[in-house]
Amino acid sequence: MSRPSSEALIAELTRDLAPVRRIPPPGGVGLALVGLWAAGCALSGWLGGSGLRAGPPGALGEPVFTGLLAALALAGAGGSVAAVARAVPGRERLARTGSLFLALGLGLALGCAGLAWLVDASATSLPAAAACASHALGLGLAPAVLAFAWLARAWEPRPRAGAAVASLTAAALGACAVHLRCSLGDAGHLLLGHALGPLLAATLLALLGHAWLVRHAAAR
Amino acid sequence: MLEERERRWRHWMTAAQAGDAVAYDALLRELLPHVRGLVHRRLFQPEGVDDVVQNVLLSLHRARHTYRPEQPFGPWLRAIARNAVTDQLRARGRRPLELSLEGEGVPEPVADAAPAAPPPLSPELAEALSELPPAQRQAVQLLHLDGLSVAEAAARVGISRGALKVRAHRGYKALRARLERVPL
């Protein structure tokens, strides 16, 4: 294609140019994402009773509990940064860093819970684990909706990756909240209900979210 | 000088977001050689550079709402260009060089396919098609009803492939909105 073709394209693009509504500041979106998660946790605690583990100092003294909490918090924070940054051209480095922390946090969470289960592979209640996993998904749903809406509104040239980041972030945020509240501490429950279960739920969310992103990005 | 250029591009982009076609035209024309250089450095081959440049301009146009004046313009532009080059390199791995609207959810005719018989139109689609502006209707008709390739359709109309794709894209959007009963 020669230069006149590009100039013809420019003429076409500038003809009938409509004003556009700029995206909101990404920092504000990130704060809103975390704020939604916190509000969901507070509402859930208010509706369902606090149910917090007995005393933060005691709980924080347990290596598995603390390790899993820190890993999920790292994943949630990193994923939130990644989900917001990837939708703005020029913020790739920040998005990559966030994604790295998301992956690292999830890996550490699985590793921590997995190791604990290897040491103490006692039987665990599957219904209780499923309840925690679904609760985690529920608590992560509001941030997930915001993240998907943001990706569709802004810029997401790789909807599959965007859906994965948004879903895994939601799972990590939800699992973090559940882990703080849940009083069951056996290794099997932590692995299935607080780590693996939410990740599997995130996979389903990612599939749905990808289909939604493709449709709504195309509609713009 | 670079700071002056950056300031100028930011100013024009901000004006373009508000609908200032003159500023947008000036911005795109000044960006053209810069974008061509960016693409050329990444593609390593001369063929296909102009196609990717046009894809970059199209992507910039679609993503212009994502630019915020407080952020530098250069990295924003380079990210869009990188993405278009990546799409081109991936497309090369799948099929011969061809401009693509991939990622927009718009069905794209395969260049090597034999022209298919025109699909039967539903009354609703025929009516929606008739309501399109002539240029958009013609683009949609040639590409998806007559089954021509982008190159063939552009040659028939006498415009560039990029310009044809813009018309077709606008036509698809209008058709989709009309059929979903969403106000344009």
Side-chain angles (χ1 to χ4, degrees):
Chain A
M1 275 293 161
S2 60
R3 287 177 189 230
S5 300
S6 295
E7 301 212 351
L9 175 59
I10 289 172
E12 191 74 31
L13 291 176
T14 54
R15 189 190 316 170
D16 300 327
L17 183 70
V20 291
R21 191 163 53 95
R22 226 178 268 146
I23 57 171
V29 175
L31 285 175
L33 204 148
V34 175
L36 266 181
W37 169 76
C41 295
L43 183 65
S44 171
W46 179 66
L47 287 175
S50 62
L52 286 170
R53 291 175 64 91
L60 287 174
E62 298 168 24
V64 174
F65 174 84
T66 309
L68 190 50
L69 179 66
L72 290 171
L74 179 70
S80 299
V81 168
V84 173
R86 67 178 292 113
V88 183
R91 306 271 175 121
E92 288 79 19
R93 192 174 295 177
L94 190 58
R96 271 198 301 273
T97 305
S99 297
L100 180 65
F101 282 123
L102 171 65
L104 187 65
L106 291 176
L108 285 173
L110 280 174
C112 190
L115 273 173
W117 184 74
L118 282 175
V119 169
D120 178 23
S122 53
T124 190
S125 163
L126 283 179
C132 271
S134 56
H135 197 179
L137 188 65
L139 285 173
L141 205 56
V145 167
L146 177 61
F148 278 111
W150 165 249
L151 291 172
R153 168 82 176 90
W155 187 66
E156 183 45 86
R158 308 275 179 260
R160 197 167 283 124
V165 168
S167 303
L168 289 172
T169 301
L173 289 172
C176 189
V178 163
H179 187 59
L180 273 170
R181 296 188 57 221
C182 180
S183 55
L184 293 175
D186 63 278
H189 180 78
L190 292 182
L191 179 62
L192 288 179
H194 296 192
L196 206 53
L199 281 185
L200 290 175
T203 307
L204 289 173
L205 183 61
L207 290 171
L208 293 171
H210 170 245
W212 187 86
L213 270 180
V214 167
R215 179 177 167 78
H216 283 79
R220 284 208 309 273
Chain B
M1 190 171 159
L2 283 176
E3 283 181 11
E4 176 57 38
R5 184 182 72 178
E6 169 71 29
R7 252 196 307 271
R8 190 165 61 244
W9 288 354
R10 279 195 204 192
H11 172 73
W12 281 340
M13 190 67 209
T14 307
Q17 288 175 324
D20 186 341
V22 173
Y24 195 41
D25 185 88
L27 173 67
L28 293 181
R29 288 184 191 283
E30 189 163 310
L31 284 180
L32 196 50
H34 185 71
V35 168
R36 191 169 279 122
L38 281 174
V39 171
H40 203 278
R41 278 195 294 277
R42 289 185 163 266
L43 272 189
F44 308 115
Q45 297 176 28
E47 64 263 18
V49 167
D50 284 322
D51 290 349
V52 178
V53 166
Q54 292 186 29
N55 277 344
V56 171
L57 295 180
L58 280 170
S59 296
L60 186 153
H61 182 73
R62 287 195 300 269
R64 66 192 191 279
H65 66 293
T66 66
Y67 177 69
R68 292 199 56 88
E70 63 268 17
Q71 74 179 96
F73 186 85
W76 183 85
L77 172 69
R78 282 193 292 277
I80 292 174
R82 265 197 308 270
N83 190 66
V85 170
T86 302
D87 283 345
Q88 176 72 346
L89 292 173
R90 287 179 180 181
R92 275 184 186 173
R94 290 195 299 271
R95 55 185 180 175
L97 284 174
E98 179 68 34
L99 285 177
S100 173
L101 278 170
E102 204 169 56
E104 294 193 45
V106 175
E108 180 75 10
V110 175
D112 296 333
L121 289 183
S122 66
E124 294 81 12
L125 182 56
E127 187 185 343
L129 200 57
S130 68
E131 292 176 3
L132 288 180
Q136 293 175 15
R137 184 171 63 243
Q138 183 185 39
V140 173
Q141 173 85 32
L142 290 173
L143 289 178
H144 282 278
L145 298 183
D146 296 347
L148 299 184
S149 69
V150 174
E152 290 169 347
R156 185 173 293 192
V157 177
I159 60 176
S160 70
R161 288 190 286 179
L164 181 81
K165 289 169 75 69
V166 170
R167 290 183 186 183
H169 174 61
R170 286 176 177 168
Y172 300 143
K173 276 185 73 170
L175 281 176
R176 193 178 291 121
R178 172 72 174 81
L179 293 172
E180 289 176 355
R181 292 184 183 164
V182 173
L184 288 178

